[in-house]
Structure formats: structure tokens, C-alpha cells
Amino acid sequence: MNDCIVCRIAAGCIPSRKVYEDDLVLAFLDISPVSPGHVLVVPKEHFNPLWNVPDEVLARLLSVAKRIAKAQMDSALAPDGVNLFQTNGTAAGQTVFHVHFHVIPRKNGDGAGWTFPEGAYASPEEADATAAAIAAALEKA
Ligand code: 5GP
Ligand code: ZN
């Protein structure tokens, strides 16, 4: 067993409050939730970051995340909305290095969230060049 905390949870070596499990994925409550009902959806197999996850596994992760979001909405939690959130790298806020999707129930005015700083591009031309750079990289991917 490696020292990855999610692998240990998936193996049952560390307890978790499980809400869903199938052959490929597991979902359980986050230990330090943004809001009540905050769930993590993880592949049972260790993958990191997102772009190393096989498409079949990713499809299942997203399908389960969708179902959990709907279940949160239909549950007694009765949130006003749900965030799907995923981190890759410390710069992006990742602290657990086994791919996971956060499914976070949200209430109007709950104060959670993150800010989008203004002025990410110096000019419209810079935004154009950025779109072209990503498109060019996609051609090679
Ligand atoms: P990240 O910042 O990497 O996207 O999110 C990692 C999440 O894993 C955090 O929200 C954190 O609370 C959660 N977490 C870390 N350790 C454990 C644990 O042992 N059990 C559970 N259930 N959640 C954990
Ligand atoms: Zn792992």
C-alpha cells in the first residue's frame, strides 16, 4: 500500500463516510467540508493529475458526480446550487495528489466561493493569442 490517503481510504485502511461505490469509483464525505454534504468522488485506482485519468474512468467519475449533485439537491440538505470543483497542482489548490472531484452543495449567500481577478489579459490581442496557443497545443495532444 502506498502512502496516498485516497488509496488508503479506497482500500478501507482509513475510515470514510461513504455515499457511493462501484467497480471504478468511490464517493465519500470530505473531512473538512466547505458545506454540509460536501462529497469527494475519486477513482479507486491511483491517477494524478486529471490528464492521466483514462477516459472510461473519467466518464464514470463525472457521471457519478452528476448523480451526487442531483441527490444533494433532492435531499434534506436542499441546497440552492452545487459546485463541481477539481484541482491539479499546488498552484491550483491541490493538497491531496490523487485525482478527486469535489461536489459541493451551496446555499444562497453562504459566503463560500472564489474570486476571479480582473485584468488577466493586458489587451484583447493577448486574449486572442492565448486562445490560439491553447488551440495549437490541443492539435498536438
Ligand atoms: P484538494 O485541495 O486537494 O482539491 O482537496 C483535498 C480534500 O481532501 C480537502 O477538501 C480535504 O478536506 C479532504 N481530505 C483530506 N484528507 C482527508 C481524509 O482523510 N478524509 C476525507 N474524507 N477527506 C480528506
Ligand atoms: Zn492514491
Side-chain angles (χ1 to χ4, degrees):
M1 172 60 57
N2 64 40
D3 60 3
C4 169
I5 199 142
V6 172
C7 285
R8 287 175 172 271
I9 289 171
C13 301
I14 294 177
S16 68
R17 292 188 172 90
K18 194 165 44 177
V19 300
Y20 177 84
E21 180 173 15
D22 64 29
D23 56 325
L24 294 179
V25 315
L26 181 67
F28 51 88
L29 293 188
D30 195 296
I31 204 168
S32 181
V34 169
S35 64
H38 177 168
V39 167
L40 299 178
V41 186
V42 307
K44 286 185 168 176
E45 194 176 335
H46 185 96
F47 299 109
N48 197 66
L50 177 67
W51 40 93
N52 286 337
V53 180
D55 284 351
E56 181 205 3
V57 178
L58 184 58
R60 184 75 63 81
L61 286 165
L62 282 171
S63 171
V64 169
K66 177 184 81 169
R67 290 171 60 199
I68 289 172
K70 178 71 164 57
Q72 289 166 336
M73 292 297 292
D74 293 344
S75 75
L77 291 167
D80 300 308
V82 177
N83 277 130
L84 189 59
F85 182 64
Q86 197 272 326
T87 57
N88 298 284
T90 47
Q94 188 174 20
T95 59
V96 169
F97 295 90
H98 176 132
V99 158
H100 51 280
F101 285 86
H102 298 258
V103 191
I104 307 173
R106 298 294 306 276
K107 293 274 195 189
N108 291 325
D110 64 11
W114 56 329
T115 54
F116 291 80
E118 290 187 18
Y121 302 112
S123 65
E125 292 72 24
E126 189 180 306
D128 290 343
T130 302
I134 294 171
L138 268 173
E139 292 285 324
K140 294 184 210 145

